[in-house]
Amino acid sequence: MRQTINRITLFFFAMILVVSPFSWSKAHAADSYKSLDLYFPTDIDGHWAYDTLDNFVNADLLNGYSLGNGEVALKPNHPITRAEFVAILVQATGLHSSTQGKSFSDVKAGKWYAESIRIASSLGVVGGVSSTEFGPDLPITRGDIAVMVVRAFSDTVEFKGASKTFKDVLNYYAASAITKASQAGIVSGMTTTTFQPFAKATRAQAVVMLERALQLEQTELPETSELTAIASTATKSEIQAMAEHKYDQLSVTYATYYTGYQLSSNFTSLEDITSAVDEETTMDIEMLSQPNFTVIETSNRLAVLEAEGGKMKVTIHSGTEQQEETVSMDGLYKLKKMNDNSWKIYAILPYEE
């Protein structure tokens, strides 16, 4: 499970509580970013698709259902509707089009899914359940997902390799797509011999298929130097602003280089730090060694970097008390390509020590 705040902040608050237990109170989250609670669904720990679900939530590609108490549930084993899947597909792939899509009588203008369906239908990625209806609220089948994924990634994924033979995939419109998707490893069967193409797809199954396709995109890879420069510049800018106690500058750095979970985590930590720091309590940071960034995974829209060797010294002064700790910056940095073609960091996962 991810930490809700970074190690610097954890150390900072531990020291504050030791030397001055009543010197601060948690600031309310601002409207410019999502509450951290939304990035910690209550029902995915231990799930077979946890890593994928967690990754999509971090990247703002998957939202949960409100439980009414500030928490959310993803309902990973529940069916996913046709509208929900198309919305996630369009967002994750960055599909765009200015062309008018198909006209469906059950897709009203202004509905939250209308624009996604317009884009996907105009590109030939989706069709309707009939010549006039899309069926936005109907559960999507596993076969239909295979069709949409193959169409959406037809120009960016090579569908090659040994296909799986499923005895229940008959000669119907999705058969070819299921074969292609199985060749690329995007889909697998419910058993060794069955695919269950007409079964309702669960939210977890849909997201896993989509993530596999995204990871296979290798046609427009970012330059390694571009990705490492983003992580390095973001880290240096953040540490410099904190070292100089220029906390206002941190907001600019966060908005420039971060998105998703990491943006919310950073801003929440910043509000907590600035509410705790006063004339009696200060935090000093010294960079001991810069982290070295290496790209370990990359595709057209997703990348993972590894940070190694970075260390900083954090010193907390409160009255006559002083505490310090050396903090490791080793871990994984996850980035995604934004719709404006820039890359931003959506999750930093520190290594356990």
Side-chain angles (χ1 to χ4, degrees):
M1 190 68 178
R2 285 172 287 114
Q3 299 176 20
T4 57
I5 48 181
N6 60 44
R7 293 196 68 244
I8 298 175
T9 311
L10 286 172
F11 171 68
F12 177 76
F13 288 130
M15 294 305 101
I16 291 294
L17 289 173
V18 168
V19 299
S20 184
F22 302 107
S23 64
W24 66 279
S25 61
K26 181 176 173 65
H28 292 292
D31 294 335
S32 59
Y33 60 91
K34 293 165 58 175
S35 167
L36 273 182
D37 289 337
L38 302 181
Y39 293 99
F40 291 85
T42 62
D43 58 347
I44 64 172
D45 282 353
H47 193 276
W48 65 270
Y50 172 83
D51 288 341
T52 296
L53 295 168
D54 184 56
N55 190 41
F56 265 53
V57 169
N58 287 349
D60 280 345
L61 298 178
L62 181 65
N63 296 317
Y65 298 93
S66 174
L67 298 178
N69 57 358
E71 297 180 335
V72 297
L74 278 190
K75 301 182 181 180
N77 299 323
H78 284 221
I80 183 170
T81 68
R82 289 169 54 82
E84 287 173 333
F85 181 74
V86 172
I88 297 172
L89 174 66
V90 169
Q91 172 68 12
T93 56
L95 291 177
H96 59 275
S97 171
S98 58
T99 305
Q100 180 63 42
K102 293 183 179 180
S103 178
F104 298 109
S105 61
D106 55 355
V107 178
K108 303 300 183 183
K111 286 286 189 178
W112 62 267
Y113 48 73
E115 180 65 3
S116 295
I117 293 174
R118 180 196 66 78
I119 292 172
S121 65
S122 72
L123 295 173
V125 173
V126 302
V129 294
S130 73
S131 60
T132 59
E133 295 183 328
F134 182 78
D137 298 321
L138 296 177
I140 193 170
T141 66
R142 288 168 50 80
D144 283 346
I145 285 183
V147 171
M148 293 182 190
V149 167
V150 168
R151 289 174 178 171
F153 291 89
S154 60
D155 294 331
T156 57
V157 170
E158 292 188 26
F159 295 95
K160 61 181 182 179
S163 63
K164 295 186 177 182
T165 300
F166 300 112
K167 65 182 183 181
D168 60 345
V169 175
L170 306 177
N171 186 23
Y172 81 119
Y173 97 106
S176 175
I178 293 171
T179 297
K180 286 184 177 181
S182 70
Q183 285 179 301
I186 294 172
V187 303
S188 56
M190 294 297 289
T191 70
T192 56
T193 60
T194 63
F195 181 76
Q196 298 182 15
F198 301 109
K200 299 174 184 177
T202 67
R203 286 166 60 81
Q205 291 170 348
V207 172
V208 166
M209 293 182 203
L210 187 50
E211 185 187 57
R212 288 171 180 167
L214 288 168
Q215 292 172 337
L216 288 171
E217 290 189 300
Q218 301 289 309
T219 57
E220 297 180 5
L221 298 179
E223 294 290 337
T224 296
S225 58
E226 177 187 5
L227 297 178
T228 56
I230 291 169
S232 179
T233 303
T235 301
K236 289 179 181 178
S237 298
E238 182 175 359
I239 299 305
Q240 181 178 350
M242 295 183 74
E244 297 176 355
H245 301 164
K246 295 180 178 179
Y247 298 120
D248 289 344
Q249 182 61 35
L250 281 173
S251 297
V252 177
T253 296
Y254 292 159
T256 302
Y257 296 105
Y258 297 95
T259 189
Y261 161 74
Q262 200 59 47
L263 180 68
S264 289
S265 178
N266 287 351
F267 268 116
T268 300
S269 298
L270 175 60
E271 287 200 349
D272 288 339
I273 289 173
T274 54
S275 69
V277 172
D278 53 32
E279 293 181 359
E280 296 295 324
T281 303
T282 62
M283 176 176 66
D284 293 325
I285 289 182
E286 177 186 357
M287 178 71 79
L288 302 178
S289 59
Q290 297 282 351
N292 179 56
F293 291 97
T294 304
V295 177
I296 59 175
E297 293 179 22
T298 186
S299 60
N300 286 11
R301 301 192 65 85
L302 298 173
V304 181
L305 279 59
E306 183 177 43
E308 293 182 300
K311 292 185 181 297
M312 69 184 72
K313 183 171 70 174
V314 182
T315 305
I316 305 298
H317 307 272
S318 185
T320 60
E321 300 291 335
Q322 176 176 308
Q323 298 286 340
E324 67 178 37
E325 180 179 329
T326 297
V327 179
S328 171
M329 301 173 68
D330 291 356
L332 298 179
Y333 282 53
K334 293 192 171 186
L335 293 81
K336 76 170 185 177
K337 189 176 184 178
M338 308 296 289
N339 288 337
D340 64 359
N341 293 324
S342 66
W343 286 79
K344 290 190 177 183
I345 301 163
Y346 67 85
I348 298 177
L349 309 179
Y351 287 147
E352 297 289 341
E353 293 190 337

